[in-house]
Amino acid sequence: GKPYKTQQALESNEFPVLHLSNASLPASATGKVHLLASDGKEVKDLVLATLVKDRVENVALDIYINISQNLTLSVSAGEIHLSGFFEP
């Protein structure tokens, strides 16, 4: 599917909590990819999940992120697809 555009939900504060529930590798993935989190201060490149082609291609998550948190999610290399939902 298409990426969800979060700007409207963030501006209205209608859904203040993002619940990430799954991380998956795309079919075109190769090698190992880490999902990382950083707050720009104390937490830098905290590994939330490690996915490996043909071994661990899908990881269940239960991560809640308040939109007021200054948190950056990134990947070590390649691509990871995230799914989840906004909670009121």
Coordinates of all heavy atoms in Angstrom, one line a residue:
G1 N 0.8 -1.2 0.0 CA 0.0 0.0 0.0 C 0.9 1.2 0.0 O 2.1 1.2 0.0
K2 N 0.2 2.4 0.0 CA 0.9 3.7 0.0 C 1.2 4.1 1.4 O 0.6 3.7 2.3 CB 0.0 4.7 -0.6 CG -0.3 4.5 -2.1 CD -1.2 5.7 -2.6 CE -1.4 5.5 -4.1 NZ -2.2 6.6 -4.6
P3 N 2.3 4.8 1.5 CA 2.7 5.3 2.9 C 1.6 6.2 3.4 O 1.0 7.0 2.7 CB 4.0 6.1 2.6 CG 4.5 5.5 1.3 CD 3.3 5.1 0.5
Y4 N 1.4 6.2 4.7 CA 0.4 7.0 5.3 C 1.0 8.4 5.6 O 2.1 8.5 6.1 CB 0.0 6.4 6.7 CG -1.1 7.2 7.4 CD1 -2.4 7.3 6.9 CD2 -0.7 8.0 8.5 CE1 -3.3 8.1 7.6 CE2 -1.6 8.7 9.2 CZ -2.9 8.8 8.7 OH -3.8 9.5 9.4
K5 N 0.4 9.4 5.2 CA 0.8 10.8 5.4 C 0.4 11.2 6.8 O -0.8 11.4 7.0 CB 0.3 11.7 4.3 CG 0.7 11.3 2.9 CD 2.2 11.4 2.7 CE 2.5 11.0 1.3 NZ 3.9 10.9 1.0
T6 N 1.3 11.4 7.7 CA 1.0 11.7 9.1 C 0.8 13.1 9.4 O 0.3 13.4 10.5 CB 2.1 11.1 10.0 OG1 3.3 11.8 9.7 CG2 2.3 9.6 9.8
Q7 N 1.1 14.0 8.5 CA 1.0 15.5 8.8 C -0.3 15.9 9.4 O -0.3 16.6 10.4 CB 1.4 16.3 7.6 CG 1.7 17.7 7.9 CD 2.9 17.9 8.8 OE1 3.8 17.2 8.7 NE2 2.7 18.9 9.7
Q8 N -1.4 15.5 8.8 CA -2.7 16.0 9.3 C -3.0 15.4 10.7 O -3.5 16.1 11.5 CB -3.8 15.5 8.3 CG -5.2 16.0 8.7 CD -6.2 15.6 7.7 OE1 -6.0 15.0 6.7 NE2 -7.5 16.1 8.0
A9 N -2.7 14.2 10.9 CA -2.9 13.6 12.2 C -2.1 14.3 13.3 O -2.5 14.5 14.4 CB -2.7 12.1 12.2
L10 N -0.9 14.6 12.9 CA 0.0 15.3 13.9 C -0.4 16.7 14.2 O -0.4 17.1 15.3 CB 1.5 15.3 13.3 CG 2.1 13.9 13.1 CD1 3.5 14.1 12.5 CD2 2.2 13.2 14.4
E11 N -0.9 17.4 13.2 CA -1.3 18.8 13.4 C -2.5 18.9 14.2 O -2.7 19.8 15.0 CB -1.5 19.5 12.0 CG -0.1 19.8 11.3 CD -0.3 20.3 9.9 OE1 -1.5 20.4 9.4 OE2 0.7 20.7 9.3
S12 N -3.5 18.0 14.0 CA -4.7 18.1 14.7 C -4.7 17.5 16.1 O -5.5 17.7 17.0 CB -5.8 17.3 13.9 OG -5.6 15.9 14.0
N13 N -3.6 16.8 16.4 CA -3.5 16.0 17.7 C -4.6 15.1 18.0 O -4.9 14.7 19.1 CB -3.3 17.0 18.9 CG -1.9 17.6 18.9 OD1 -0.9 17.0 18.4 ND2 -1.8 18.8 19.4
E14 N -5.3 14.7 16.9 CA -6.4 13.8 17.1 C -6.0 12.4 17.5 O -6.6 11.7 18.2 CB -7.2 13.7 15.7 CG -8.4 12.8 15.8 CD -9.2 12.8 14.5 OE1 -8.8 13.6 13.5 OE2 -10.1 12.0 14.4
F15 N -4.8 12.0 17.0 CA -4.2 10.7 17.3 C -2.8 10.9 17.9 O -1.9 10.9 17.1 CB -4.2 9.8 16.0 CG -5.6 9.7 15.4 CD1 -5.9 10.4 14.3 CD2 -6.5 8.8 16.0 CE1 -7.1 10.2 13.7 CE2 -7.7 8.7 15.4 CZ -8.1 9.4 14.2
P16 N -2.7 11.1 19.2 CA -1.4 11.5 19.7 C -0.4 10.3 19.9 O 0.8 10.6 20.2 CB -1.7 12.1 21.1 CG -3.0 11.4 21.5 CD -3.7 11.1 20.2
V17 N -0.8 9.1 19.7 CA 0.1 8.0 19.9 C 0.2 7.1 18.7 O -0.8 6.6 18.2 CB -0.3 7.1 21.2 CG1 0.6 5.9 21.4 CG2 -0.3 8.0 22.4
L18 N 1.4 6.8 18.2 CA 1.6 5.9 17.1 C 2.0 4.5 17.7 O 3.0 4.5 18.5 CB 2.7 6.4 16.2 CG 3.2 5.5 15.1 CD1 2.0 5.2 14.1 CD2 4.4 6.1 14.3
H19 N 1.3 3.5 17.4 CA 1.6 2.2 17.8 C 2.2 1.4 16.6 O 1.5 1.1 15.6 CB 0.4 1.5 18.3 CG 0.6 0.0 18.7 ND1 -0.4 -0.9 18.7 CD2 1.7 -0.6 19.2 CE1 0.1 -2.1 19.2 NE2 1.4 -1.9 19.5
L20 N 3.5 1.1 16.7 CA 4.1 0.3 15.6 C 4.0 -1.2 16.0 O 4.3 -1.6 17.1 CB 5.6 0.7 15.5 CG 6.0 2.1 15.0 CD1 7.5 2.3 15.0 CD2 5.4 2.3 13.7
S21 N 3.4 -1.9 15.0 CA 3.1 -3.3 15.4 C 3.9 -4.3 14.5 O 3.9 -5.5 14.9 CB 1.6 -3.6 15.2 OG 1.2 -3.2 13.9
N22 N 4.5 -3.9 13.4 CA 5.2 -4.9 12.6 C 6.3 -4.3 11.8 O 6.2 -3.1 11.3 CB 4.2 -5.6 11.7 CG 4.7 -6.8 11.0 OD1 5.1 -7.8 11.7 ND2 4.8 -6.8 9.7
A23 N 7.4 -5.0 11.6 CA 8.5 -4.6 10.7 C 8.7 -5.8 9.7 O 8.8 -6.9 10.1 CB 9.7 -4.3 11.4
S24 N 8.8 -5.5 8.4 CA 9.0 -6.5 7.4 C 10.0 -6.1 6.4 O 10.1 -4.9 6.0 CB 7.7 -6.8 6.7 OG 6.7 -7.3 7.6
L25 N 10.7 -7.0 5.8 CA 11.6 -6.8 4.7 C 10.8 -6.8 3.4 O 9.9 -7.7 3.3 CB 12.7 -7.8 4.6 CG 13.8 -7.8 5.7 CD1 14.8 -9.0 5.5 CD2 14.6 -6.5 5.6
P26 N 11.2 -6.0 2.5 CA 10.5 -6.1 1.1 C 11.1 -7.3 0.4 O 12.1 -7.8 0.7 CB 10.9 -4.8 0.4 CG 12.2 -4.4 1.1 CD 12.1 -4.8 2.5
A27 N 10.4 -7.7 -0.6 CA 10.8 -8.9 -1.4 C 12.2 -8.7 -2.0 O 12.9 -9.6 -2.2 CB 9.8 -9.2 -2.5
S28 N 12.5 -7.5 -2.3 CA 13.8 -7.2 -3.0 C 15.0 -7.1 -2.0 O 16.1 -6.8 -2.4 CB 13.7 -5.8 -3.8 OG 13.4 -4.8 -2.9
A29 N 14.8 -7.3 -0.7 CA 15.8 -7.1 0.3 C 17.0 -8.1 0.1 O 16.7 -9.2 -0.4 CB 15.2 -7.3 1.7
T30 N 18.1 -7.7 0.5 CA 19.3 -8.6 0.6 C 20.0 -8.3 1.9 O 20.1 -7.2 2.4 CB 20.3 -8.3 -0.6 OG1 20.7 -7.0 -0.5 CG2 19.6 -8.6 -1.9
G31 N 20.5 -9.4 2.5 CA 21.4 -9.2 3.7 C 20.6 -8.9 4.9 O 19.4 -9.2 5.1
K32 N 21.3 -8.2 5.9 CA 20.8 -7.9 7.2 C 20.5 -6.4 7.3 O 21.2 -5.6 6.8 CB 21.8 -8.3 8.2 CG 21.4 -8.0 9.7 CD 22.5 -8.3 10.6 CE 23.0 -9.7 10.6 NZ 24.0 -10.0 11.7
V33 N 19.3 -6.1 7.9 CA 18.9 -4.7 8.1 C 18.5 -4.5 9.5 O 17.7 -5.3 10.1 CB 17.8 -4.3 7.1 CG1 17.4 -2.8 7.3 CG2 18.1 -4.6 5.7
H34 N 18.9 -3.4 10.2 CA 18.6 -3.0 11.5 C 17.6 -1.9 11.5 O 17.8 -0.9 10.8 CB 19.8 -2.6 12.4 CG 20.8 -3.7 12.5 ND1 20.7 -4.8 13.2 CD2 22.1 -3.8 11.9 CE1 21.8 -5.6 13.1 NE2 22.6 -4.9 12.3
L35 N 16.5 -1.9 12.3 CA 15.7 -0.8 12.6 C 16.2 -0.1 13.8 O 16.4 -0.7 14.9 CB 14.2 -1.3 12.8 CG 13.2 -0.2 13.2 CD1 13.1 0.8 12.2 CD2 11.9 -0.8 13.6
L36 N 16.5 1.2 13.7 CA 17.2 1.9 14.7 C 16.3 3.1 15.2 O 15.5 3.6 14.5 CB 18.5 2.5 14.2 CG 19.4 1.5 13.5 CD1 20.6 2.3 12.8 CD2 20.0 0.6 14.5
A37 N 16.5 3.5 16.5 CA 15.8 4.6 17.1 C 16.8 5.5 17.7 O 17.8 5.1 18.2 CB 14.8 4.2 18.1
S38 N 16.6 6.8 17.6 CA 17.5 7.8 18.2 C 16.6 9.0 18.7 O 15.7 9.4 18.0 CB 18.5 8.3 17.2 OG 19.3 9.3 17.7
D39 N 17.0 9.5 19.9 CA 16.3 10.8 20.3 C 17.2 12.0 20.2 O 16.8 13.1 20.5 CB 15.8 10.6 21.8 CG 16.9 10.6 22.8 OD1 18.1 10.7 22.4 OD2 16.6 10.5 24.0
G40 N 18.3 11.8 19.6 CA 19.2 12.9 19.4 C 20.0 13.4 20.6 O 20.8 14.3 20.5
K41 N 19.8 12.7 21.7 CA 20.5 13.1 23.0 C 21.1 11.9 23.6 O 22.2 11.5 23.3 CB 19.5 13.7 23.9 CG 18.8 15.0 23.4 CD 17.8 15.5 24.4 CE 17.1 16.7 23.8 NZ 16.0 17.1 24.6
E42 N 20.4 11.2 24.4 CA 20.9 10.1 25.2 C 20.8 8.8 24.4 O 21.7 7.9 24.5 CB 20.1 9.9 26.5 CG 20.2 11.1 27.4 CD 19.3 11.0 28.6 OE1 18.6 9.9 28.8 OE2 19.3 11.9 29.4
V43 N 19.8 8.6 23.6 CA 19.6 7.3 22.9 C 20.1 7.6 21.4 O 19.5 8.4 20.7 CB 18.1 6.9 22.9 CG1 18.0 5.6 22.1 CG2 17.7 6.7 24.3
K44 N 21.1 6.8 21.0 CA 21.6 6.9 19.6 C 21.7 5.6 19.0 O 22.4 4.7 19.6 CB 22.9 7.7 19.6 CG 22.8 9.1 20.0 CD 24.0 9.9 19.9 CE 23.8 11.3 20.4 NZ 24.9 12.1 20.6
D45 N 21.0 5.3 17.9 CA 21.1 4.1 17.2 C 20.8 2.9 18.1 O 21.5 1.8 18.0 CB 22.4 3.9 16.5 CG 22.7 4.9 15.4 OD1 21.7 5.5 14.9 OD2 23.8 5.2 15.1
L46 N 19.7 3.0 18.8 CA 19.2 1.8 19.6 C 18.5 0.8 18.6 O 17.7 1.2 17.8 CB 18.1 2.3 20.6 CG 17.4 1.2 21.4 CD1 18.4 0.5 22.3 CD2 16.2 1.8 22.2
V47 N 19.0 -0.4 18.6 CA 18.5 -1.4 17.7 C 17.1 -1.9 18.2 O 17.0 -2.5 19.3 CB 19.4 -2.6 17.5 CG1 18.8 -3.6 16.6 CG2 20.8 -2.1 17.0
L48 N 16.0 -1.7 17.5 CA 14.7 -2.1 17.8 C 14.4 -3.5 17.2 O 13.6 -4.3 17.8 CB 13.7 -1.1 17.3 CG 13.8 0.3 17.9 CD1 12.7 1.2 17.2 CD2 13.6 0.3 19.4
A49 N 15.0 -3.8 16.1 CA 14.8 -5.1 15.4 C 15.9 -5.3 14.4 O 16.4 -4.4 13.8 CB 13.4 -5.1 14.7
T50 N 16.2 -6.6 14.2 CA 17.1 -7.0 13.1 C 16.4 -8.0 12.2 O 15.9 -9.0 12.7 CB 18.4 -7.6 13.7 OG1 19.0 -6.7 14.6 CG2 19.4 -8.0 12.7
L51 N 16.4 -7.7 10.9 CA 15.8 -8.5 10.0 C 16.8 -9.1 9.0 O 17.7 -8.3 8.6 CB 14.7 -7.8 9.2 CG 13.5 -7.4 10.1 CD1 13.7 -6.0 10.6 CD2 12.2 -7.5 9.4
V52 N 16.7 -10.3 8.6 CA 17.7 -11.0 7.8 C 16.9 -11.7 6.6 O 16.0 -12.5 6.9 CB 18.6 -12.0 8.5 CG1 19.6 -12.6 7.6 CG2 19.2 -11.3 9.8
K53 N 17.3 -11.4 5.4 CA 16.7 -12.1 4.2 C 16.8 -13.6 4.4 O 17.8 -14.1 4.7 CB 17.4 -11.6 3.0 CG 16.9 -12.2 1.7 CD 15.5 -11.7 1.4 CE 15.0 -12.2 0.0 NZ 13.7 -11.9 -0.3
D54 N 15.7 -14.3 4.1 CA 15.5 -15.7 4.1 C 15.6 -16.3 5.5 O 15.7 -17.6 5.7 CB 16.5 -16.4 3.2 CG 16.3 -16.1 1.7 OD1 15.1 -15.9 1.4 OD2 17.2 -16.0 1.0
R55 N 15.7 -15.5 6.6 CA 15.8 -16.1 8.0 C 14.8 -15.4 8.9 O 13.9 -16.1 9.4 CB 17.2 -15.9 8.5 CG 18.2 -16.8 7.8 CD 19.6 -16.7 8.3 NE 19.6 -17.1 9.7 CZ 20.5 -16.7 10.6 NH1 21.5 -15.9 10.2 NH2 20.5 -17.1 11.8
V56 N 14.9 -14.1 9.0 CA 13.9 -13.3 9.9 C 13.5 -12.2 9.0 O 14.1 -11.1 9.0 CB 14.6 -12.8 11.2 CG1 13.6 -12.1 12.0 CG2 15.2 -14.0 11.9
E57 N 12.4 -12.4 8.3 CA 11.9 -11.3 7.4 C 10.8 -10.5 7.9 O 10.3 -9.5 7.3 CB 11.5 -12.0 6.0 CG 12.7 -12.6 5.3 CD 12.3 -13.1 3.9 OE1 11.2 -13.1 3.6 OE2 13.3 -13.4 3.2
N58 N 10.2 -10.9 9.1 CA 9.1 -10.2 9.7 C 9.3 -10.3 11.2 O 9.6 -11.3 11.8 CB 7.8 -11.0 9.3 CG 6.6 -10.2 9.6 OD1 6.6 -9.3 10.3 ND2 5.5 -10.7 9.1
V59 N 9.1 -9.1 11.9 CA 9.2 -9.0 13.3 C 8.0 -8.3 13.9 O 7.7 -7.2 13.4 CB 10.5 -8.3 13.7 CG1 10.6 -8.0 15.2 CG2 11.7 -9.0 13.3
A60 N 7.3 -9.0 14.9 CA 6.2 -8.3 15.6 C 6.8 -7.3 16.5 O 7.8 -7.5 17.2 CB 5.4 -9.3 16.3
L61 N 6.2 -6.1 16.5 CA 6.6 -5.0 17.4 C 5.4 -4.6 18.3 O 4.3 -4.9 18.0 CB 7.0 -3.8 16.6 CG 8.2 -4.0 15.6 CD1 8.3 -2.7 14.8 CD2 9.5 -4.3 16.3
D62 N 5.7 -4.0 19.4 CA 4.7 -3.4 20.3 C 5.3 -2.2 20.9 O 5.6 -2.1 22.1 CB 4.4 -4.4 21.4 CG 3.1 -4.1 22.2 OD1 2.3 -3.3 21.6 OD2 2.9 -4.5 23.3
I63 N 5.5 -1.2 20.0 CA 6.2 0.1 20.4 C 5.2 1.2 20.3 O 4.5 1.4 19.2 CB 7.4 0.3 19.4 CG1 8.4 -0.8 19.6 CG2 8.0 1.7 19.7 CD1 9.5 -0.8 18.5
Y64 N 5.1 2.0 21.3 CA 4.2 3.1 21.4 C 5.1 4.4 21.4 O 6.0 4.6 22.2 CB 3.4 3.1 22.7 CG 2.4 2.0 22.7 CD1 2.7 0.7 23.1 CD2 1.1 2.2 22.3 CE1 1.8 -0.3 23.1 CE2 0.1 1.2 22.3 CZ 0.5 -0.1 22.7 OH -0.4 -1.1 22.7
I65 N 4.8 5.3 20.5 CA 5.5 6.6 20.4 C 4.5 7.7 20.5 O 3.6 7.8 19.6 CB 6.3 6.6 19.0 CG1 7.2 5.5 18.9 CG2 7.0 8.0 18.9 CD1 7.8 5.3 17.5
N66 N 4.7 8.6 21.5 CA 3.9 9.8 21.6 C 4.4 10.8 20.6 O 5.6 11.0 20.4 CB 4.0 10.3 23.0 CG 3.0 11.4 23.2 OD1 3.1 12.5 22.6 ND2 2.1 11.2 24.1
I67 N 3.5 11.5 19.9 CA 3.9 12.4 18.8 C 4.7 13.6 19.4 O 5.4 14.2 18.6 CB 2.7 12.9 18.0 CG1 1.7 13.7 18.8 CG2 2.1 11.8 17.3 CD1 0.7 14.4 18.0
S68 N 4.6 13.8 20.7 CA 5.4 14.9 21.3 C 6.9 14.5 21.5 O 7.7 15.4 21.7 CB 4.8 15.4 22.6 OG 4.9 14.3 23.5
Q69 N 7.2 13.2 21.4 CA 8.6 12.7 21.5 C 9.4 13.1 20.3 O 8.9 12.9 19.2 CB 8.6 11.2 21.7 CG 8.0 10.8 23.0 CD 8.0 9.3 23.1 OE1 7.2 8.6 22.4 NE2 8.8 8.7 24.0
N70 N 10.6 13.5 20.5 CA 11.5 13.8 19.4 C 12.3 12.5 19.1 O 13.4 12.3 19.7 CB 12.5 14.9 19.8 CG 13.4 15.3 18.6 OD1 13.1 15.0 17.5 ND2 14.5 15.9 18.9
L71 N 11.7 11.6 18.3 CA 12.3 10.3 18.1 C 12.4 10.1 16.6 O 11.5 10.4 15.8 CB 11.4 9.2 18.6 CG 11.9 7.8 18.5 CD1 13.1 7.6 19.5 CD2 10.8 6.8 18.9
T72 N 13.6 9.6 16.2 CA 13.9 9.4 14.8 C 14.1 7.9 14.6 O 14.9 7.3 15.3 CB 15.2 10.1 14.3 OG1 15.0 11.5 14.5 CG2 15.4 9.8 12.8
L73 N 13.3 7.3 13.6 CA 13.5 5.9 13.3 C 14.3 5.9 12.0 O 14.0 6.7 11.1 CB 12.2 5.2 13.1 CG 11.3 5.1 14.3 CD1 9.9 4.5 13.9 CD2 11.9 4.4 15.4
S74 N 15.2 4.9 11.9 CA 16.1 4.8 10.7 C 16.4 3.4 10.5 O 16.2 2.5 11.3 CB 17.3 5.7 10.8 OG 18.1 5.3 11.9
V75 N 17.0 3.1 9.3 CA 17.5 1.7 9.0 C 19.0 1.8 8.8 O 19.5 2.8 8.3 CB 16.8 1.1 7.8 CG1 15.3 0.9 8.2 CG2 16.9 1.9 6.6
S76 N 19.7 0.7 9.1 CA 21.2 0.7 8.9 C 21.6 0.7 7.5 O 22.5 1.3 7.1 CB 21.7 -0.6 9.6 OG 21.1 -1.7 9.1
A77 N 20.8 0.0 6.7 CA 21.0 -0.1 5.2 C 19.8 -0.8 4.6 O 19.2 -1.6 5.2 CB 22.3 -0.9 4.9
G78 N 19.5 -0.4 3.4 CA 18.4 -1.1 2.8 C 17.0 -0.4 3.1 O 17.0 0.8 3.3
E79 N 16.0 -1.3 3.3 CA 14.7 -0.8 3.5 C 13.9 -1.7 4.4 O 14.1 -2.9 4.4 CB 14.0 -0.8 2.1 CG 12.6 -0.3 2.1 CD 12.1 -0.3 0.6 OE1 12.9 -0.2 -0.3 OE2 10.8 -0.4 0.5
I80 N 13.1 -1.2 5.3 CA 12.2 -1.9 6.1 C 10.8 -1.3 6.0 O 10.7 -0.1 6.1 CB 12.6 -1.9 7.6 CG1 13.9 -2.7 7.8 CG2 11.5 -2.5 8.5 CD1 14.5 -2.6 9.2
H81 N 9.8 -2.1 5.9 CA 8.4 -1.7 5.9 C 7.8 -1.8 7.3 O 7.9 -2.8 7.9 CB 7.6 -2.5 4.9 CG 8.0 -2.3 3.5 ND1 7.3 -2.8 2.4 CD2 9.1 -1.7 2.9 CE1 7.9 -2.6 1.3 NE2 9.0 -1.9 1.6
L82 N 7.2 -0.7 7.8 CA 6.6 -0.6 9.1 C 5.1 -0.6 9.0 O 4.6 0.1 8.1 CB 7.1 0.6 9.9 CG 8.6 0.6 10.2 CD1 8.9 2.0 10.8 CD2 9.0 -0.5 11.1
S83 N 4.4 -1.2 9.9 CA 3.0 -1.1 9.9 C 2.6 -0.8 11.4 O 3.3 -1.2 12.3 CB 2.3 -2.3 9.4 OG 2.6 -3.4 10.1
G84 N 1.4 -0.2 11.5 CA 0.9 0.1 12.8 C -0.3 1.0 12.7 O -0.9 1.1 11.6
F85 N -0.6 1.8 13.7 CA -1.8 2.6 13.7 C -1.7 3.7 14.8 O -0.9 3.6 15.7 CB -3.1 1.8 13.9 CG -3.0 0.9 15.2 CD1 -3.5 1.4 16.4 CD2 -2.5 -0.3 15.1 CE1 -3.5 0.6 17.5 CE2 -2.5 -1.1 16.3 CZ -2.9 -0.7 17.5
F86 N -2.4 4.8 14.5 CA -2.5 5.9 15.5 C -3.6 5.6 16.5 O -4.7 5.1 16.1 CB -2.8 7.2 14.8 CG -1.6 7.8 14.1 CD1 -1.4 7.6 12.8 CD2 -0.6 8.5 14.9 CE1 -0.3 8.1 12.2 CE2 0.5 9.0 14.2 CZ 0.7 8.8 12.9
E87 N -3.3 5.8 17.8 CA -4.3 5.6 18.8 C -4.8 6.9 19.4 O -3.9 7.8 19.5 CB -3.7 4.7 20.0 CG -3.5 3.3 19.6 CD -3.2 2.4 20.8 OE1 -3.1 2.9 21.9 OE2 -3.0 1.2 20.6
P88 N -6.0 7.1 19.7 CA -6.5 8.3 20.3 C -6.0 8.5 21.7 O -5.5 7.6 22.4 CB -8.0 8.2 20.3 CG -8.3 6.8 20.0 CD -7.1 6.1 19.5

